[in-house]
Amino acid sequence: MPRDAAPGPLRVLAFGAALRADSSNARLASLVSRLIADTGATVDLATMHEFDMPLYDGDVETAHGMPSGALALRERLEQCDAFVISSPEYNGSVPGVLKNAIDWVSRVRPQPFKTKHAMLVSASPSMVGGNRGLWALRVPLEHLGTRVYPDMFSLANCYEAFAEDGTLADPGLQQRLAETVAAFLSLVEADTRYVCLERRWYEFLGDRTEAPITQRAEG
């Protein structure tokens, strides 16, 4: 009896959520992409400029439909098994350009954030490394059904954190980031490739623990 063909490598979209080309978050997204590629996964490294779009306006959507930048992001999301966002922290929250992109893309049907896996990382010159912004970013993503990985990575003192080769100057932080990426991809692989395993997500206290796989909380 013929066996099913082996699945190809995992596909991961990664991008920094700042517009400045040499931003620390663009550098962190690039480093994460290298770590993803080291595991054998296929990585799609993007920039926010590839997803340029106007501020969300329902009248614009009604009159002209979805902007090309939102459709481009939708397409890249649909082609991946998971995505990584390296996001700066603006005033303790999410950058407007990223929130605007999420709002636009959430209007597409079928909604592409639903059931995707996401890993969130940040870089900031502050001592908390932009971590408050990541907690704020989890809210819209999880609301849309994204499976956000619990272990977020925040890089403090980012202006002094990178070595000349693009890795982190602190070996301990470099190892922690590599281990976090590897653990995230292991979870993605288990959930997307080994469909014979029963998968359950306990996102709310009221979830039914005896629910079959087809009734996971994905509404």
Side-chain angles (χ1 to χ4, degrees):
M1 189 173 185
R3 295 175 178 270
D4 292 338
L10 291 174
R11 300 160 299 173
V12 184
L13 170 67
F15 61 92
L19 294 174
R20 188 166 62 89
D22 193 36
S23 76
S24 296
N25 281 279
R27 298 178 70 183
L28 184 56
S30 179
L31 173 56
V32 170
S33 295
R34 289 165 56 184
L35 294 172
I36 292 171
D38 287 344
T39 71
T42 298
V43 61
D44 176 13
L45 179 60
T47 69
M48 287 303 297
H49 284 290
E50 297 175 63
F51 311 128
D52 188 38
M53 61 192 82
L55 293 176
Y56 179 75
D57 184 332
D59 290 338
V60 171
E61 181 185 8
T62 300
H64 305 288
M66 298 292 294
S68 59
L71 293 175
L73 179 53
R74 183 277 303 270
E75 181 179 358
R76 304 279 275 276
L77 285 168
E78 289 182 340
Q79 292 174 352
C80 73
D81 297 303
F83 62 93
V84 178
I85 301 177
S86 182
S87 178
E89 176 185 296
Y90 289 177
N91 299 312
S93 190
V94 184
V97 66
L98 177 58
K99 181 58 167 60
N100 183 59
I102 293 171
D103 290 342
W104 265 116
V105 175
S106 72
R107 302 290 296 170
V108 179
R109 295 295 180 270
Q111 200 275 103
F113 288 107
K114 185 177 179 181
T115 72
K116 292 291 185 183
H117 288 269
M119 176 180 165
L120 305 182
V121 300
S122 61
S124 170
S126 74
M127 291 301 295
V128 294
N131 187 257
R132 293 168 300 188
L134 296 187
W135 282 107
L137 178 56
R138 295 184 71 101
V139 175
L141 291 176
E142 291 182 332
H143 173 78
L144 293 170
T146 303
R147 315 300 188 188
V148 181
Y149 190 59
D151 192 0
M152 303 181 294
F153 180 88
S154 295
L155 181 65
N157 298 318
C158 63
Y159 294 153
E160 302 174 353
F162 290 95
E164 290 186 3
D165 64 355
T167 62
L168 299 183
D170 184 325
L173 284 178
Q174 177 69 22
Q175 180 178 354
R176 184 191 153 208
L177 178 58
E179 291 174 349
T180 302
V181 169
F184 169 64
L185 294 179
S186 293
L187 176 63
V188 175
E189 183 175 25
D191 190 63
T192 60
R193 300 303 168 87
Y194 301 113
V195 295
C196 59
L197 299 178
E198 186 170 341
R199 299 165 291 171
R200 289 173 178 159
W201 296 90
Y202 305 120
E203 296 178 358
F204 308 101
L205 292 179
D207 276 359
R208 289 174 47 206
T209 58
E210 79 281 6
I213 186 172
T214 54
Q215 296 182 17
R216 287 181 296 162
E218 295 179 353

